[in-house]
Amino acid sequence: MSEPTPPHRRGLREFTALPVVRQSLGVVIACGAFAISFGAIAAAGGLDVWQTMALSLIMFSGGSQFALVGVVAGGGSPWAGAVAALLLGSRNTFYGLRLSTLLGLRGLRRAAAAQVVIDESSAMSLGRDSEREARIGFYVTGIGVFTLWNLGSLIGALGAGALTDPAAFGLDAAGPAAFVALLWPRLRDRETWAIALAAAGLAVLSVPFVPPGVPVLVAAAFGIAVGAWPRREPPLPDRPAPHGEAA
Amino acid sequence: MLWAAILVASVGCYLFKLAGMSVPAGLLARPAVQRIAALLPIVLLAALIAVQTVSSGQRLLIDARLAGVAVAVIAAWRRAPFLLILVLAAVTTALVRWWIPGS
């Protein structure tokens, strides 16, 4: 825990010199650039500018946005895309759970802060050495990404109108490539790899037999089944008693 | 219908975020719920990659996208930054299409 900064040393320069602020701003800028490709992919997938911006303003969760757009662009039902987006978005609940004690917000402030609970703001906040750094990481990243994400989406959505054939620019591969970049850091061990490969295989095998968009939900059902499967784990002192478990 | 799906999914995603900030910690502390929460992004992302790379509608289709995504995998393995992974995948796909028209 660092000592409180004396008032005469507080200032913008002092603030931006903090490592947590510089790291957060790096993430913010990368997200803004990434948002341009989201806007372009959404427009290429058949969404108009308003629909693209509704996703970036209200949904504001990159993976979920790409999921919905990807399903719609692939000819799937928008509702299958919505379910995929919701399932992917459910992870933010777990970030919020850990962030809520850290931020200690109530009422309207909590409702506003909840909107910027995303992968990036959580990653830049959780695991910091001090509570102050954790809060700075959350707010700088959350508010910064929200601003540049929406600006980038707008630029991408408007600019994509100039592209006659998005496929000629390889934009249809940018969506799955984004998922590769999101997935890779999560593949930490052999078991996770096996589950990911099984999910991918199941989804591909189901493509000819179910409507577009549903293969992804088949994989989700598989993930829920694997997660809920009862398994014996060594009893840990901090683990709650296993009565009434879903497992 | 597209608008309705967009709004329902968007509001739902926000409510997921708000729920996390609001519910008592014990509810989501169950091991099975934690495991499902950790696995969902992994299976969904893996499925999205596979489906969006080798399918078109209800058909399985190998085309230039596969080359682009393969390059993305190599770039991710070599710890390339996020944007570089996207750009490499798009450029590779575009180049393969240029070499082999119709792919």
Side-chain angles (χ1 to χ4, degrees):
Chain A
M1 189 77 200
S2 57
E3 289 180 7
T5 314
H8 65 276
R9 289 189 60 196
R10 280 189 199 144
L12 193 61
R13 181 183 279 187
E14 199 70 19
F15 184 71
T16 53
L18 291 170
V20 61
V21 173
R22 276 180 297 157
Q23 288 166 10
S24 296
L25 290 178
V27 170
V28 167
I29 291 165
C31 283
F34 181 33
I36 296 177
S37 62
F38 168 73
I41 290 168
L47 276 74
D48 66 29
V49 175
W50 296 105
Q51 289 166 334
T52 305
M53 292 314 295
L55 285 178
S56 285
L57 284 164
I58 310 171
M59 184 177 283
F60 185 52
S61 190
S64 296
Q65 292 178 227
F66 271 108
L68 192 148
V69 167
V71 169
V72 171
S77 144
W79 292 109
V83 173
L86 283 168
L87 285 169
L88 263 178
S90 65
R91 71 189 183 288
N92 290 326
T93 304
F94 292 83
Y95 298 148
L97 195 69
R98 291 161 71 189
L99 284 166
S100 68
T101 45
L102 189 72
L103 301 172
L105 300 171
R106 305 234 149 263
L108 273 179
R109 281 164 182 251
R110 182 159 74 187
Q115 177 63 344
V116 296
V117 172
I118 51 168
D119 289 327
E120 288 80 10
S121 58
S122 307
M124 287 293 117
S125 174
L126 300 168
R128 291 280 166 197
D129 292 334
S130 75
E131 207 166 281
R132 178 168 174 261
E133 280 188 3
R135 288 181 188 199
I136 292 173
F138 174 76
Y139 287 116
V140 171
T141 313
I143 297 168
V145 171
F146 185 79
T147 308
L148 285 203
W149 181 260
N150 278 285
L151 188 65
S153 300
L154 186 62
I155 293 169
L158 292 173
L163 302 178
T164 47
D165 180 14
F169 297 91
L171 272 185
D172 51 343
F179 294 131
V180 168
L182 290 173
L183 174 63
W184 200 264
R186 296 173 191 270
L187 297 173
R188 293 215 181 90
D189 53 41
R190 200 179 282 238
E191 188 193 355
T192 318
W193 264 101
I195 292 170
L197 287 174
L202 265 178
V204 168
L205 287 177
S206 64
V207 161
F209 306 105
V210 294
V214 178
V216 176
L217 306 183
V218 171
F222 166 73
I224 291 170
V226 171
W229 197 260
R231 59 177 73 189
R232 269 180 226 162
E233 279 167 285
L236 297 172
D238 61 341
R239 197 172 283 258
H243 62 83
E245 282 303 327
Chain B
M1 196 171 73
L2 179 56
W3 258 119
I6 285 172
L7 291 177
V8 167
S10 296
V11 171
C13 280
Y14 171 71
L15 291 177
F16 272 136
K17 297 175 182 177
L18 188 61
M21 300 281 268
S22 311
V23 300
L27 203 69
L28 297 176
R30 295 174 164 193
V33 177
Q34 295 269 343
R35 277 201 305 273
I36 292 171
L39 282 182
L40 265 183
I42 291 165
V43 293
L44 283 168
L45 291 170
L48 283 163
I49 294 165
V51 169
Q52 293 186 13
T53 304
V54 298
S55 79
S56 174
Q58 273 186 277
R59 277 187 316 139
L60 294 177
L61 179 70
I62 302 289
D63 62 16
R65 290 172 298 175
L66 188 61
V69 174
V71 168
V73 169
I74 294 168
W77 172 50
R78 302 308 302 169
R79 293 168 187 266
F82 204 103
L83 270 180
L84 183 60
I85 294 174
L86 288 196
V87 170
L88 286 174
V91 168
T92 305
T93 307
L95 283 178
V96 171
R97 282 214 175 98
W98 181 64
W99 276 321
I100 313 167
S103 70

